[in-house]
């Protein structure tokens, strides 16, 4: 054990009185004791008897290395809150420092208020220890059950971007973001420093980055941990921050210096905000950042089995592993636990002593109880305009073209207008708002921008709430932080590059799913994702821009969370968007292209169709869709057009063939009713698709997705799904569907092959399809565009 911790010299210096220093040190030691206890102990929580092997958990899990640094940060932020009355949200990037954050929310009483059986006494402490990283307990990282958390710490890289999302439109909030030196090596974190270029001190809160350098990740050194203070200062200054450094392994000096550094940082934040709020925003401020260097596994065992532990990577997880079988290891653990002097920190009943409790803020000022960390508590519903007011007229289906997302843009414009006073809605997009035809929002909103603005710029302003940054990670992360702290938003991006941040969507979906099981977590607004510039219409950009993979990602998430919508036209898009913006606790994935496309349903029909999620289109079917010989189904805008064109060819060439056309808007309706709230029971499914006829299903995404969804819906071998086959290049729009075997001619070929009967005229139609496909192959290479009869096709089937 480090002797500097055993008996620290607590002399009052600087901003701390001797009494305050003793109080802070007691709180820190108590948090460290509770952290170690969570990792190791299943009994004897207060060490009222000598430690024995039977007091130790059979499986030792958890992470010690980063925890003492997190504990001292939490302790000192408490002092700042108490003295200043600040509203502080703590986001901890070193996620596996979970036991440290749990220790602190337990000490401040928040944990016991939410989980009364984990009380502030010996019995509660024992439950607190036993639940950590055990079956039916809590994870080893900061997660959904942790009060005060908005950040799932299992996947590194997102702490700082979540922090900025939380600070937007929360003017009184300071988000203290602890960044571990391991996390600092990730790409998303490196990009996140740019958040201050979008943070308006007049209307937003502040983000205080705390770069916690202990030198090591799980088994090796870290880049910044080995970098000099000068290099780190240059890095942070280049990003626009004024760094303040604190380092050491002597608790007395670190307490003193950390208190002074935090006071300096909070003074700087207050001065920046006061100036902006009194005089207006003139330029991007130089915000403070704190760099804290303390040893890995600080105050833990120095040497075990002759190997250095404290201050090395070996302190990362469980520093002393053989305590149940090795008496020497058991003795080291007992010495370690007793070095915190628990008899000074807890009374005989196990309650923290007054000195420890006095270090905590009270009420909602406790970081574990801050209302914004439970965003549903502060959520105000959006005031949405009537989406039917934005409908486009559809007098005849598939006769006129419109840019569907441009129609949505006008709706979103007025969402901004109606919620301007609430300041609780933002649009996030990686430099593509205009490209994705949502630029009507610029009639009332600007792009948020804190950097210099030139006369040739358009729609840039510090006041803007359209968040454009060329990083899917930042857009997704900002939106997640914004939603989890009680606001609303939409992330619009090119379909293929939504996969850049797909893992973030997965983590958010897991968070929402777990949160839905906790009664104290209030539902937050849904994560709304709009994918446009889709694979089928990125023919000009080529193979790199062609990929519908996020559908598969969202499809695999829990039914309590996942929703996928494929509106075929503008009016359906309006209906879906209205529903999604009103919803709570979901990941809503909306996929539709931005290019001019045929429009099928008037607004009343669209609303009814979207409410069902899937339905037969009698107008496109023959014989009213009754008793069909073949079913043509589709999900997705481009494949819907190809399906209708195929249906018209069948109607023209083989009028005796009974064809039913089914369109699916809500992809999850395909699931069995027992598997998803939107799913269909077998009776409904068979009523729509028939119980026994073959179904040619044209799908926007990968064909396997539909096969996975319909598994369990009776005889599904009769479904023949055609979708994106990873065939792409720089080509024409129609050539894309041909390459992937989902063109109208290929759908007709499949329909005639699978139909229950072969009507007269089939051979002529098959020959027509063969000729047209051959003609297409020649035409596109000669004319560099699609054939007019394809390019200009509209529905004339009557």
């Amino acid at each position: 054990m480090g002797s500097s911790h055993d008996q620290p010299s607590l002399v009052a210096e600087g901003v701390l009185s001797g009494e305050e220093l003793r109080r802070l040190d007691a709180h820190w030691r108590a948090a460290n004791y509770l952290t170690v206890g969570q990792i190791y102990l299943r009994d004897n929580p207060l060490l009222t008897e000598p430690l024995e092997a039977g007091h130790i958990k059979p499986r030792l899990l958890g992470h010690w290395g980063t925890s003492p640094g997190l504990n001292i940060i939490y302790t000192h932020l408490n002092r700042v809150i108490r003295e200043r009355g600040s509203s502080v949200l703590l986001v901890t990037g070193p996620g596996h420092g979970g036991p440290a954050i749990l220790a602190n929310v337990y000490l401040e009483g928040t944990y016991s208020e939410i989980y009364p059986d984990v009380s502030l006494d010996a019995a509660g402490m024992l439950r607190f220890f036993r639940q950590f990283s055990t079956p039916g307990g809590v994870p080893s990282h900061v997660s959904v059950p942790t009060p005060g958390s908005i950040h799932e710490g299992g996947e590194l890289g997102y702490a700082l971007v979540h922090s900025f999302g939380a600070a937007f439109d929360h003017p009184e909030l300071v988000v203290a973001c602890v960044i571990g030196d391991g996390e600092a090596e990730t790409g998303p974190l490196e990009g996140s420093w740019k958040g201050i270029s979008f943070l308006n001190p007049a209307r937003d809160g502040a983000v205080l980055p705390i770069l916690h350098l202990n030198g090591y990740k799980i088994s090796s050194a870290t880049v910044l941990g080995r970098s000099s203070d000068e290099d780190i200062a240059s890095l942070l200054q280049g990003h626009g921050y004024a760094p303040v450094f604190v380092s050491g392994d002597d608790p007395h000096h670190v307490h003193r210096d950390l208190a002074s550094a935090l006071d300096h940082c909070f003074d700087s934040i207050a001065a920046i905000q006061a100036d902006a709020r009194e005089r207006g925003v003139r330029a991007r401020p130089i915000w403070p950042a704190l760099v804290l260097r303390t040893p890995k596994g600080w105050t833990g065992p120095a040497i075990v089995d002759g190997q250095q532990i404290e201050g090395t990577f070996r302190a990362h997880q469980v520093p002393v592993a053989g305590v149940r079988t090795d008496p020497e290891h058991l003795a080291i653990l007992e010495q370690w636990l007793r070095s915190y002097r628990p008899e000074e920190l807890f009374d005989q009943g196990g309650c923290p002593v007054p000195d420890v409790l006095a270090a905590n803020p009270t009420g909602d000022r406790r970081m574990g109880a801050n209302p914004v960390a439970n965003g549903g508590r502060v959520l105000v519903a959006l005031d949405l305009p009537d989406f039917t007011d934005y409908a486009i007229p559809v007098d005849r289906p598939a006769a006129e073209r419109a840019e569907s997302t441009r129609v949505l843009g006008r709706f979103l414009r007025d969402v901004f207008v109606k919620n301007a006073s609430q300041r609780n809605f933002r649009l996030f997009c990686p430099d593509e708002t205009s490209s994705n035809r949502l630029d009507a929002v610029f009639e009332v909103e600007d792009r948020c921008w804190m950097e210099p603005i030139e006369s040739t710029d358009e729609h840039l302003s510090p006041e803007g709430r359209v968040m454009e940054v060329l990083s899917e990670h930042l857009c997704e992360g900002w939106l997640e932080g914004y939603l989890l702290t009680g606001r609303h938003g939409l992330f619009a991006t090119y379909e293929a590059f939504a996969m850049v941040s797909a893992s973030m969507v997965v983590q958010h979906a897991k968070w929402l799913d777990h949160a839905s099981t906790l009664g104290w977590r209030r539902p937050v607004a849904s994560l709304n994702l709009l994918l446009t510039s889709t694979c089928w219409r990125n023919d000009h950009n080529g193979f790199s821009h062609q990929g519908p993979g996020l559908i598969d990602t969202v499809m695999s998430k829990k039914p309590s969370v996942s929703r996928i919508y494929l509106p075929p036209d503008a009016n359906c898009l309006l209906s879906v968007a209205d529903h999604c913006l009103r919803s709570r606790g979901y990941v809503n994935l909306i996929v539709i292209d931005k290019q001019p496309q045929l429009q099928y349903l008037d607004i009343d029909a669209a609303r009814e169709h979207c409410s069902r999620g899937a339905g037969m289109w009698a107008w496109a079917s023959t014989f009213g869709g009754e008793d069909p010989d073949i079913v043509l189904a589709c999900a997705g805008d481009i494949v819907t057009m190809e399906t209708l064109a195929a249906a018209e060819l069948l109607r023209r060439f083989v009028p005796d063939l009974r064809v039913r056309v089914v369109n699916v808007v809500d992809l999850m309706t395909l699931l069995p009713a027992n598997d998803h709230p939107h799913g269909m029971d077998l009776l409904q499914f068979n009523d729509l698709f028939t119980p026994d006829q073959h179904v040619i299903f044209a799908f926007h995404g990968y064909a396997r997705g539909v096969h996975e969804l319909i598994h369990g819906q009776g005889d599904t071998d009769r479904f023949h799904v055609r979708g994106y086959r990873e065939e792409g290049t720089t080509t024409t729009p129609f050539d894309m569907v041909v390459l992937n075997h989902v063109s109208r001619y290929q759908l007709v070929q499949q329909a005639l092959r699978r139909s229950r009967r072969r009507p007269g005229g089939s051979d002529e139609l098959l020959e027509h399809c063969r000729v047209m496909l051959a003609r297409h192959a020649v035409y596109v290479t000669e004319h560099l565009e699609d054939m007019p009869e394809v390019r200009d096709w509209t529905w004339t089937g009557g």
Side-chain angles (χ1 to χ4, degrees):
M1 295 296 301
S3 60
S4 63
H5 176 261
D6 289 339
Q7 296 294 331
S9 172
L10 300 182
V11 179
E13 292 185 36
V15 301
L16 299 179
S17 67
E19 180 182 358
E20 180 68 12
L21 186 54
R22 281 191 298 274
R23 185 182 299 158
L24 293 174
D25 188 71
H27 189 278
W28 180 54
R29 286 188 287 121
N32 285 337
Y33 179 84
L34 292 171
T35 300
V36 181
Q38 288 175 83
I39 296 172
Y40 283 98
L41 297 183
R42 64 181 294 177
D43 205 353
N44 194 16
L46 291 167
L47 298 184
T48 53
E49 55 185 288
L51 194 62
E52 299 176 357
H55 299 150
I56 309 301
K57 293 179 179 179
R59 300 174 70 236
L60 299 180
L61 303 168
H63 293 68
W64 163 247
T66 189
S67 291
L70 291 177
N71 284 333
I72 203 166
I73 290 168
Y74 204 109
T75 295
H76 278 260
L77 286 173
N78 280 344
R79 181 193 68 84
V80 171
I81 295 168
R82 283 188 289 106
E83 293 186 358
R84 296 169 182 258
S86 303
S87 175
V88 177
L89 175 69
L90 179 62
V91 174
T92 51
H96 283 289
I101 305 306
L102 287 167
N104 283 280
V105 293
Y106 177 74
L107 283 175
E108 71 185 19
T110 308
Y111 203 87
S112 299
E113 290 169 11
I114 294 174
Y115 307 106
D117 59 327
V118 186
S119 46
L120 276 171
D121 54 25
M125 187 186 297
L126 182 59
R127 293 188 187 94
F128 186 63
F129 288 172
R130 288 176 65 93
Q131 72 176 8
F132 180 78
S133 282
T134 56
V138 298
S140 67
H141 49 279
V142 178
S143 57
V144 193
T146 309
S149 173
I150 65 161
H151 177 74
E152 174 72 53
E155 183 170 303
L156 299 180
Y158 313 132
L160 191 53
V161 67
H162 283 159
S163 297
F164 278 105
F168 294 146
D169 291 320
H170 270 147
E172 304 308 316
L173 185 67
V174 176
V175 186
C177 176
V178 185
I179 303 156
D181 42 1
E183 182 178 31
E185 296 179 354
T186 66
L189 196 287
E190 185 61 35
S192 297
W193 296 107
K194 298 176 181 63
I196 54 173
S197 294
F198 304 86
L199 191 74
N200 182 333
R203 64 161 186 201
D204 297 328
V207 175
L208 174 60
I210 302 174
L211 183 58
H212 180 214
L213 305 178
N214 57 39
Y216 297 90
K217 40 191 182 278
I218 192 169
S219 60
S220 184
T222 59
V223 173
L224 294 186
R226 292 291 171 88
S227 299
S228 67
D229 285 354
E230 291 76 15
D231 284 348
I232 292 171
S234 295
L235 174 70
L236 294 178
Q237 287 164 356
H239 281 303
Y241 296 85
V244 180
F245 288 81
V246 175
S247 62
D249 60 1
D250 179 86
H252 162 227
H253 290 108
V254 175
H255 279 306
R256 179 199 63 198
D257 295 345
L258 184 55
S260 296
L262 282 173
D263 275 354
H264 170 79
C265 290
F266 274 76
D267 286 343
S268 297
I269 289 169
I272 290 168
Q273 292 177 332
D275 181 70
R277 293 168 191 183
E278 293 170 9
R279 303 181 185 181
V281 177
R282 291 162 293 174
R284 173 178 57 79
I286 304 299
W287 293 92
L290 177 61
V291 182
L292 173 65
R293 289 188 189 267
T294 58
K296 186 92 167 182
W298 188 22
T299 74
I303 296 174
V304 178
D305 295 336
Q307 287 190 315
Q308 182 69 33
I309 303 297
E310 184 184 28
T312 76
F313 68 87
R314 298 183 184 90
H316 184 83
Q317 291 176 294
V318 180
V320 194
V323 288
R324 282 173 63 89
T325 57
D326 186 330
E328 183 177 342
H329 282 204
L330 184 65
I332 292 172
L333 174 60
E334 181 167 14
Q335 180 190 1
W336 177 14
L337 284 164
R338 293 192 185 278
S339 73
Y340 298 118
R341 307 192 298 282
E343 68 280 359
E344 298 177 7
L345 308 174
F346 305 95
D347 62 24
Q348 291 184 346
C351 181
V353 299
D355 258 2
V356 171
L357 294 175
N360 296 313
T362 59
D364 284 352
R365 283 295 182 247
R366 295 170 297 173
M367 287 185 283
N370 195 315
V372 301
N374 188 0
R377 287 182 59 188
V378 297
L379 183 66
V380 176
L382 284 176
D383 182 5
L384 293 177
D386 184 346
F387 72 91
T388 65
D389 291 343
Y390 304 84
I392 59 175
V394 179
D395 298 323
R396 188 163 58 88
E400 301 291 336
R401 286 178 169 82
E403 295 167 315
S404 297
T405 55
R406 192 174 299 281
V407 176
L408 176 65
R410 294 193 283 269
F411 175 72
L412 295 176
R413 172 198 62 200
D414 294 345
V415 173
F416 274 115
V417 171
K418 291 180 73 67
N419 295 277
S421 62
Q422 292 290 349
R423 300 183 297 278
N424 64 344
F425 178 78
R426 294 200 184 201
L427 173 63
F428 301 81
C429 190
D431 191 34
E432 298 155 2
T433 305
S434 295
S435 171
N436 287 331
R437 314 295 197 264
L438 301 174
D439 45 327
V441 299
F442 294 129
E443 297 172 21
V444 298
E445 272 295 346
D446 291 320
R447 298 174 177 93
C448 181
W449 189 246
M450 291 298 300
E451 299 295 341
I453 298 173
E454 299 182 359
S455 59
T456 53
D457 291 330
E458 292 184 347
H459 305 298
L460 291 181
S461 166
E463 303 302 321
R465 284 195 172 82
V466 177
M467 311 300 292
E468 282 197 346
V469 60
L470 199 49
S471 166
E472 288 79 8
H473 284 124
L474 295 194
C475 289
E476 172 69 26
W478 284 347
L479 177 56
E480 289 177 358
Y482 199 64
L483 297 174
L484 289 168
T485 51
R487 281 75 58 77
H488 307 259
L490 174 72
F491 173 26
T493 186
Y494 284 11
E495 180 183 50
F497 306 125
M499 294 303 293
V500 172
S501 53
S503 186
M504 300 179 75
V505 175
V506 169
Q507 294 297 321
H508 190 78
K510 291 176 183 288
W511 178 282
L512 293 176
D513 176 63
H514 199 168
S516 69
T517 68
L518 300 172
W520 62 273
R521 283 273 184 194
R522 305 285 180 84
V524 296
S526 297
L527 175 65
N528 297 311
L529 307 171
L530 174 65
L531 305 191
T532 185
S533 298
T534 64
C535 61
W536 302 106
R537 285 298 179 266
N538 249 299
D539 43 86
H540 59 295
N541 276 323
F543 199 29
S544 65
H545 284 57
Q546 297 159 3
L550 195 64
I551 290 175
D552 297 76
T553 298
V554 175
M555 189 187 303
S556 67
K557 299 307 109 191
K558 286 286 191 70
S560 61
V561 174
S562 57
R563 305 287 186 270
I564 303 173
Y565 300 98
L566 297 162
D569 64 5
N571 288 337
C572 288
L573 176 59
L574 286 170
S575 180
V576 165
D578 178 81
H579 169 76
C580 292
L581 289 172
R582 293 180 189 277
S583 68
R584 302 285 184 270
Y586 302 142
V587 172
N588 292 318
L589 180 62
I590 309 170
V591 186
I592 189 169
D593 196 68
K594 66 186 182 183
Q595 301 291 352
Q597 54 188 200
L598 290 170
Q599 303 296 311
Y600 308 113
L601 304 180
D602 64 32
I603 193 62
D604 292 332
R607 178 161 49 185
E608 181 182 356
H609 183 50
C610 292
S611 68
R612 293 197 310 266
M616 178 182 70
W617 283 358
W619 58 268
S621 307
T622 58
F623 301 93
E626 295 302 316
D627 189 26
D629 298 312
I630 191 72
V631 178
L632 299 182
C634 48
D637 49 2
I638 302 306
V639 294
T640 294
M641 179 179 69
E642 291 303 310
T643 298
L644 290 171
E648 188 179 71
L649 284 168
L650 291 168
R651 177 182 295 225
R652 176 153 53 99
F653 280 86
V654 286
D656 292 337
L657 187 71
R658 292 177 173 269
V659 178
R660 175 181 294 184
V661 175
V662 173
N663 181 263
V664 178
V665 179
D666 180 351
L667 200 59
M668 310 316 271
T669 60
L670 296 175
L671 280 162
N674 290 337
D675 294 342
H676 196 282
H678 293 189
M680 289 184 272
D681 62 33
L682 187 56
L683 184 64
Q684 294 171 307
F685 188 85
N686 286 342
D687 187 54
L688 185 61
F689 293 105
T690 79
D692 50 10
Q693 298 308 316
H694 284 262
V695 180
I696 310 301
F697 200 122
F699 180 46
H700 176 92
Y702 296 105
R704 62 179 176 268
V706 171
H707 286 296
E708 290 175 10
L709 290 169
I710 64 176
H711 180 73
Q713 294 282 34
D715 176 16
T716 55
D717 288 344
R718 60 196 176 89
F719 277 74
H720 311 282
V721 186
R722 297 291 180 268
Y724 184 70
R725 297 166 51 143
E726 224 30 58
E727 294 291 342
T729 183
T730 302
T731 186
T732 66
F734 187 67
D735 197 46
M736 273 297 297
V737 294
V738 172
L739 288 173
N740 289 278
H741 293 202
V742 76
S743 76
R744 60 199 68 184
Y745 302 118
Q746 291 152 320
L747 295 176
V748 164
Q749 290 170 334
Q750 283 294 313
L752 292 175
R753 178 186 175 194
R754 301 291 183 179
S755 171
R756 68 177 172 183
R757 62 188 183 87
R758 191 175 181 84
S762 295
D763 291 341
E764 292 84 352
L765 178 52
L766 288 171
E767 177 63 12
H768 174 75
C769 291
R770 187 192 67 77
V771 168
M772 293 302 291
L773 287 169
R775 183 183 167 211
H776 156 75
V778 174
Y779 191 95
V780 292
T781 56
E782 288 185 355
H783 298 273
L784 311 182
E785 62 177 344
D786 287 323
M787 301 180 294
E789 54 265 65
V790 169
R791 186 181 65 242
D792 302 327
W793 178 85
T794 59
W795 175 262
T796 58

